[in-house]
Amino acid sequence: MTGFTSDEMMTIAAARALKNDDVCFVGIGAPSAACNVARLTHAPDITLIYESGTIGTAPDVLPLSIGDGELCETAVTTVSVPEMFRYWLQGGRISVGFLGAAQLDRFGNINTTVIGDYHRPKVRLPGGGGAPEIASSCGEIFITMKQSKRGLVDKIDFFTSFGHGEGGHARERLGLRTKGPTLLITDLAIWKPDPETKEFTVTALHPGVTREAVQETCGWPVRFAPGLVETPAPTALELDTLRALRARTAAAHGGQEVA
């Protein structure tokens, strides 16, 4: 890639997926960066909601956690966590949930709990937090993460957040009326679920990325859409906005990288 990094391409491609009228439940890290780039560019009226109860927040820097004071200070209002989940989330008032993952399978099921056996894990992760409820109650789910065979796996080690289960109509059989994962944006490609099987399929390759590179960093046999296209490169506005946001964040947090 010329003039931008794969990480910048991932964040900007993820930001483009959001619409001006979206109400978005934002995860910390890469999802937060994408959502705020969208707010600062093409979607100024987007409503960003964080798990701590902040609604309509417009942070000048990326938050370190859902409890970061920047979120509350810039929010239109802050509600209690029970109200956030019961009224806003479970009430069907949030159109998009934007999540990350430690492990992800081909059907969009997410593990953020443990790597290895639950009782004797190799790594114990932060856990689900509100992600299981977000995955089941938001209108649709976008996922963003860097590709690797450790991350995109044939079988996740723990079922933290439900995507499309074993595929097909698994969500409907469980009584879930929301769409589930509809988009996966990685540092190499854009993926969408097959309409019937719900298996993630590559629909666009980022500039300079090959099919082989995508397969080499994925733990299952990758399917490519017949009409495979190239992701448009970042514009100067998108890059300047993302880089300025990260520079402000680094300065505010003493050089600590957030996303």
Side-chain angles (χ1 to χ4, degrees):
M1 297 186 184
T2 303
F4 54 91
T5 67
S6 60
D7 184 69
E8 289 173 331
M9 181 73 259
M10 176 177 70
T11 302
I12 289 168
R16 291 170 178 167
L18 293 164
K19 303 186 298 295
N20 193 51
D21 60 352
D22 272 327
V23 178
C24 183
F25 209 123
V26 188
I28 293 297
S32 184
C35 291
N36 281 285
V37 168
R39 177 180 61 82
L40 292 166
T41 52
H42 68 277
D45 298 322
I46 192 171
T47 301
L48 300 185
I49 296 178
Y50 286 77
E51 191 178 333
S52 52
T54 54
I55 298 175
T57 188
D60 188 53
V61 300
L62 294 174
L64 289 172
S65 72
I66 60 169
D68 198 312
E70 177 77 9
L71 296 177
C72 189
E73 289 171 5
T74 62
V76 172
T77 188
T78 300
V79 301
S80 68
V81 172
E83 178 180 333
M84 170 59 64
F85 278 87
R86 183 66 189 96
Y87 179 81
W88 291 93
L89 181 57
Q90 295 174 340
R93 294 172 171 84
I94 300 177
S95 59
V96 177
F98 220 131
L99 300 174
Q103 284 185 332
L104 184 79
D105 70 17
R106 71 187 73 194
F107 297 117
N109 302 302
I110 292 174
N111 171 26
T112 53
T113 303
V114 294
I115 302 298
D117 180 77
Y118 180 80
H119 299 287
R120 299 176 64 87
K122 296 177 182 176
V123 179
R124 190 168 293 281
L125 301 167
E133 288 77 17
I134 294 168
S136 62
S137 297
C138 287
E140 60 183 321
I141 298 299
F142 297 166
I143 303 167
T144 185
M145 62 186 294
K146 292 183 179 181
Q147 278 197 219
S148 72
K149 285 193 172 180
R150 292 192 302 172
L152 300 184
V153 297
D154 186 52
K155 183 178 180 181
I156 56 177
D157 292 338
F158 188 90
F159 235 101
T160 307
S161 303
F162 193 82
H164 293 289
E166 72 278 12
H169 300 287
R171 290 182 70 86
E172 290 90 334
R173 287 196 295 271
L174 291 176
L176 295 174
R177 296 186 296 274
T178 52
K179 295 178 182 178
T182 59
L183 189 66
L184 167 63
I185 308 101
T186 72
D187 53 336
L188 300 181
I190 296 173
W191 310 57
K192 295 181 180 179
D194 179 89
E196 296 300 323
T197 67
K198 303 302 181 184
E199 179 178 340
F200 270 125
T201 301
V202 176
T203 59
L205 295 174
H206 297 333
V209 175
T210 63
R211 294 179 181 228
E212 291 74 20
V214 173
Q215 183 60 80
E216 288 169 1
T217 51
C218 183
W220 66 80
V222 177
R223 296 180 58 197
F224 295 89
L228 189 67
V229 299
E230 182 175 270
T231 309
T235 65
L237 173 62
E238 290 170 330
L239 279 174
D240 289 346
T241 300
L242 174 58
R243 289 169 180 173
L245 176 61
R246 286 180 166 164
R248 292 195 301 273
T249 302
H253 299 308
Q256 183 169 344
E257 189 73 21
V258 175

